[in-house]
Amino acid sequence: MATKHPHGDADPSTSPPPPPSRRPRGFASASTPAAPPPPGRRRGEREREREKERTKLRERQRRAITSRMLAGLRQHGNFPLPARADMNDVLAALARAAGWTVHPDGTTFLSSPPPPLPSPAQFGAFQATSLETPVFTNSLNSYAIGTPLDSQASALQTDDSLSPSSLDSVVVAEQSIKNESYGNSSSANSLNCMGSDQLLRASAVCAGDFTKTPYIPVYASLSMGIINCYCQLVDPEAVRAELRHLKSLNVDGVVVDCWWGIVEAWTPQKYEWSGYRDLFGIIKEFKLKVQVVLSFHGSGECGSGGVLIALPRWVLEIAQENQDIFFTDREGRRNTECLSWGIDKERVLRGRTGIEVYFDFMRSFHMEFRSLSEEGLISAIEVGLGASGELRYPSCPEKMGWRYPGIGEFQCYDRYMQKNLRQSALARGHLFWARGPDNAGYYNSRSHETGFFCDGGDYDSYYGRFFLNWYSGILIDHVDQVLSLATLAFDGAAIVVKIPSIYWWYRTASHAAELTAGFYNPTNRDGYSPVFRMLKKHSIILKVVCYGPEFTVQENDEAFADPEGLTWQVMNAAWDHGLSVSVESALPCLDVDMYSRILDTAKPRNDPDRHHLSFFAYRQRTPFLLQRDVCFSELETFVKCMHGEATQNFVD
């Protein structure tokens, strides 16, 4: 009897179902094209991508609003909020200001009844105990004078549009944010009877006792023209008269610029220090200290006899054949103020790299004045790292037509920088990214006028983040290389680095002017911490530029400037990284308000960590250096307050 094959002649109706087909693997899978997704699925994917972009835009807007609110609380309320504050930090600060006790675990209770508000007569005699939190005081004052309950409830409200997961969820103080000054226009009693200038002066008088506070040295800069282009001291007697005046004011020392274009002017590696040697000898006679600034840039100002301080002549001769040693903008215009960071490792300077040229100059200075450093005459050495001696790209050159508040332009179009950009793009796997942005505007553009810097612009795209990371990374690499050799050359001396104050467009999402200057610091990113980590690695003293009251936030400010907010971010980020911080005044001190503001910055009253400046430097050629009767009493009191010796307050 023949045996049937179990699969050959089986009845189809009774046979088991065929096994499922397997997905081809390996090369076989490539031969089978995948079926395209149905049209409905494609539309759904596009809608999800659009929703992601809308979510990102909403989050950026929330963070920008949060940043402005935090800045208002810090600046006008003196709330000691950390750099990355959340809602708990803000609530705790408000509760403490109201007299409540807040423990680290969140336990909150009213330890004692809030102190009664002082009467207007007491304020007229300046008997108030504290005016350190004027915004919160004005809010409490509105409760004390019979304000209706509905308006009281709106004084402090929670912004429900902010999600708890946002970077800085905060409590919004509507009344205080709208009023940039310390006064409250809705009331006419108590504190509000005084003008904003009177409140500032009252605060200075009430909190003007700086005795037993930390000693902060004060330095004043000497004029550029005292050394001519042949490195000769022009007028020794005029220098002695100026130093004698400074000595009478109890100033600790002076700031002296040592120009690369003067010392190594004619021949590579031939240094002439004779004029500076004579100058340091005169300063030593008056027992003043010296802070030396090694200036590796040129100056647009004229020294004695109309001499322009430029880069060394032999460098300019090299530039006649190779202009790519200078920073270059998108139009191909060269900036001859300083050398491009693209040649830091390129042997284009008579067989030396840019880094080697800087190191040879620093080593020559140390060998020439080593004895003065050991004696303590030279207290610190500031190393110039970019345009105007500051750590930044020359993104806003006036000789190229830039005017405030232009956003500036990226300076990365010389041959060597473009080579580096191409290598970075190739390593990333996107060679078409080896270009600068073509929609970033011009020197005098506004951020909202450009496709790159506007809200939701290309600065936050994949390409934009790549380019800005590369652009700021070049700055950080330059810092690391120069400071590594500086610590080697100066053998333990205190080294100072100056950070610029690019405060315009700070209240926008992109911070366009900071981006072109090399600081990747939009509202959703801390652009200063990477720089400060590098400075901490080399134990550097940070110098911050400080501006006067006329540069505070204005409601109708078309530049969206915020110098106080920027200074607060930079100083607190530096202190968080363990850096010593100093301040340089960029404007003349001609009134009491300016001195009070500098003192508040130098010795923060509400800082729980008791931070203070390491020194204060005045870099302008100011009237008090030339005219003894201008602001003399205020300046003398200011110096005593910085020294922690003052027993009297400022006078008008």
Side-chain angles (χ1 to χ4, degrees), residues 219 254-256 280 289-294 365 372-373 376-383 490 492-497 541 543 582 614-615:
Y219 291 80
V254 294
V255 180
V256 176
F280 294 157
K289 295 186 179 299
V290 180
Q291 282 192 7
V292 176
V293 180
L294 301 183
F365 174 86
L372 298 182
S373 298
L377 177 69
I378 298 178
S379 60
I381 301 172
E382 180 181 328
V383 179
F490 297 134
I495 301 176
V496 180
V497 168
I541 299 175
K543 179 183 284 188
S582 61
S614 57
F615 65 86

Side-chain angles (χ1 to χ4, degrees), residues 217-240:
V218 178
Y219 291 80
S221 64
L222 298 180
S223 60
M224 293 168 44
I226 58 178
I227 303 292
N228 63 20
C229 62
Y230 299 99
C231 200
Q232 299 171 342
L233 186 59
V234 176
D235 192 346
E237 293 306 318
V239 172
R240 284 189 172 90

Side-chain angles (χ1 to χ4, degrees), residues 579-643:
L579 289 172
S580 297
V581 179
S582 61
V583 160
E584 172 183 302
S585 178
L587 295 171
C589 296
L590 300 178
D591 56 18
V592 174
D593 293 340
M594 183 63 175
Y595 289 123
S596 299
R597 195 174 293 263
I598 293 175
L599 284 168
D600 290 340
T601 303
K603 302 179 180 182
R605 301 189 186 103
N606 295 331
D607 190 343
D609 298 320
R610 299 184 180 277
H611 290 126
H612 59 85
L613 300 183
S614 57
F615 65 86
F616 171 78
Y618 206 106
R619 290 284 298 162
Q620 295 290 336
R621 288 180 290 176
T622 54
F624 71 78
L625 297 180
L626 305 175
Q627 301 177 12
R628 190 179 180 87
D629 58 339
V630 177
C631 296
F632 181 82
S633 60
E634 289 86 349
L635 176 62
E636 188 176 26
T637 302
F638 168 75
V639 174
K640 289 182 179 180
C641 290
M642 295 293 280
H643 290 171

